[in-house]
Amino acid sequence: MIRLHDSHGVLLDTPEDRKAALPQTVCWIDLVHPTPEEELQAEKLIGVEVPSRDELRDIEPSSRLYIENGAAYLTASLVWKSETDFAEIADVGFMLAGGRLVTIRYAEPRAFSVFAANATREFSGLDGRDVLTRLIETMIDRCAEVLENRSRRIDALSTEVFSRGSVKNPEAVTRDLEATLGVIASHQRTIAKVRESLMSLSRVTGFLQTMPEISGEKVLKQRCRAMAFDIQSLSEHADFISENIIFLLDASLGLISVQQNQVMKVLSVAAMIFLPPTFIGTVYGMNFQDMPELSQPWAYPIALGVMAASALGPYLWFKRKGWF
């Protein structure tokens, strides 16, 4: 799919003929899962080659940020599917050539749809440089939105976890806490993806500040500095959230251990209560010939009484100690 926007943010009609030239008024070419024909259309308009999907996946820094034949090539890793339990990273390519911006992506991060929806308001006779910096701003804002959303959910989860300590059913509490571990892992995965995205955007922003066509424009240079500051602040916030997740994970594991210890304590108390009667019953169950008390008429009730007393003693002692 190919989406065309002019310098005022208006979405232009795509030529039905895949081999036809694109309009000269195009300012931003957004290639989403592009076909070879669509890549060729973009290359004809901007005059340089569009990177392939394999090239976007190259993790070498020198291959992700470079200038070639007068065109700037940038690749950023963006978080997407952040609303689900399995957030992912998508590699998005940016090309700045001939005053136009070309984006190549094989995923649909929400930042693009938000930016495109506000394009007519954001654009005002802008060129590709303005579009690129404003688009990166939207990506940074999206990262901030994901962090805020996850932070609220983690706070709610923390309250829920610590409120389970008052539940009297240890088995139910343990099951709930074990299920919570999966939710905590989902939050940690998302935060890790956001941190990776912010790190990638930081490299892109730093590279933009070194480009003459960006550093030579006061407004664009100031915007890049502001973006770099925002990225640093969000990275610190992501670290803080990550520490909270680790604390919540440790607390959940600790509560699971406490509940399991409670079960073991009950079993231990039960074993100690029944151990003396079992010992007495075992002694009098031995088949020795010379056990004179066995022939007495009071032997059986006395034995039962001693067994009951030996069980009641440990029970009262544990009760006094507050074990249950």
Side-chain angles (χ1 to χ4, degrees):
M1 180 186 299
I2 183 170
R3 297 169 182 164
L4 309 175
H5 297 264
D6 65 9
S7 59
H8 296 281
V10 178
L11 183 64
L12 304 177
D13 294 331
T14 304
E16 296 182 0
D17 185 1
R18 295 294 182 88
K19 296 183 180 180
L22 298 179
Q24 293 295 322
T25 56
V26 172
C27 177
W28 174 29
I29 305 173
D30 187 19
L31 301 175
V32 186
H33 299 281
T35 63
E37 293 80 6
E38 291 170 342
E39 291 180 356
L40 184 60
Q41 282 182 304
E43 290 175 355
K44 288 182 178 180
L45 181 62
I46 62 177
V48 293
E49 183 180 357
V50 173
S52 65
R53 186 171 190 174
D54 292 335
E55 292 173 338
L56 291 179
R57 292 174 176 173
D58 196 335
I59 61 175
E60 292 294 333
S62 59
S63 300
R64 296 171 71 92
L65 306 168
Y66 62 94
I67 297 177
E68 184 177 80
N69 297 327
Y73 293 80
L74 308 94
T75 304
S77 300
L78 304 181
V79 61
W80 74 304
K81 294 185 178 180
S82 59
E83 296 84 3
T84 68
D85 293 335
F86 301 96
E88 297 181 10
I89 284 291
D91 292 323
V92 178
F94 303 88
M95 292 179 56
L96 196 59
R100 296 183 175 90
L101 173 66
V102 180
T103 54
I104 311 100
R105 53 194 175 99
Y106 296 87
E108 299 197 24
R110 190 173 178 181
F112 279 85
S113 59
V114 172
F115 184 73
N118 299 325
T120 54
R121 185 182 62 185
E122 294 286 346
F123 291 19
S124 180
L126 305 180
D127 60 10
R129 299 172 303 170
D130 297 283
V131 177
L132 175 59
T133 53
R134 291 177 183 270
L135 180 56
I136 294 177
E137 278 185 335
T138 305
M139 295 173 183
I140 297 172
D141 292 341
R142 175 57 184 162
C143 289
E145 182 181 347
V146 173
L147 290 177
E148 291 174 0
N149 180 46
R150 289 288 171 169
S151 180
R152 289 193 296 268
R153 293 172 62 179
I154 291 170
D155 288 340
L157 182 62
S158 177
T159 302
E160 182 180 351
V161 166
F162 286 104
S163 65
R164 287 173 180 157
S166 59
V167 179
K168 299 301 182 181
N169 188 344
E171 294 184 1
V173 173
T174 301
R175 287 196 301 269
D176 292 342
L177 289 173
E178 289 175 349
T180 301
L181 296 180
V183 179
I184 295 174
S186 172
H187 290 317
Q188 178 60 31
R189 176 185 175 90
T190 300
I191 297 302
K193 299 300 181 183
V194 172
R195 295 172 69 180
E196 184 177 348
S197 181
L198 289 171
M199 184 180 298
S200 178
L201 291 174
S202 177
R203 291 197 298 265
V204 170
T205 304
F207 182 79
L208 288 176
Q209 295 184 67
T210 65
M211 294 172 54
E213 53 266 49
I214 299 293
S215 59
E217 293 288 338
K218 183 178 180 181
V219 175
L220 297 178
K221 186 176 181 180
Q222 291 178 345
R223 187 180 300 161
C224 288
R225 288 180 176 176
M227 290 190 298
F229 178 78
D230 291 342
I231 291 173
Q232 181 180 359
S233 299
L234 290 177
S235 297
E236 294 174 356
H237 186 48
D239 292 339
F240 171 74
I241 296 176
S242 183
E243 291 176 359
N244 286 342
I245 292 176
I246 294 174
F247 168 75
L248 186 58
L249 176 61
D250 292 340
S252 299
L253 293 175
L255 289 174
I256 291 175
S257 179
V258 168
Q259 296 300 325
Q260 292 176 341
N261 289 339
Q262 181 69 20
V263 174
M264 294 303 299
K265 183 171 66 174
V266 172
L267 293 177
S268 299
V269 170
M272 289 300 298
I273 290 175
F274 289 102
L275 181 59
T278 302
F279 173 74
I280 296 172
T282 302
V283 169
Y284 285 103
M286 292 186 290
N287 297 319
F288 290 110
Q289 184 176 1
D290 188 12
M291 295 183 73
E293 64 269 23
L294 296 181
S295 61
Q296 300 298 323
W298 44 261
Y300 179 66
I302 289 296
L304 291 180
V306 172
M307 293 171 67
S310 64
L312 183 62
Y315 172 81
L316 295 177
W317 188 80
F318 286 127
K319 188 72 172 179
R320 181 178 180 182
K321 293 294 184 179
W323 277 39
F324 59 91

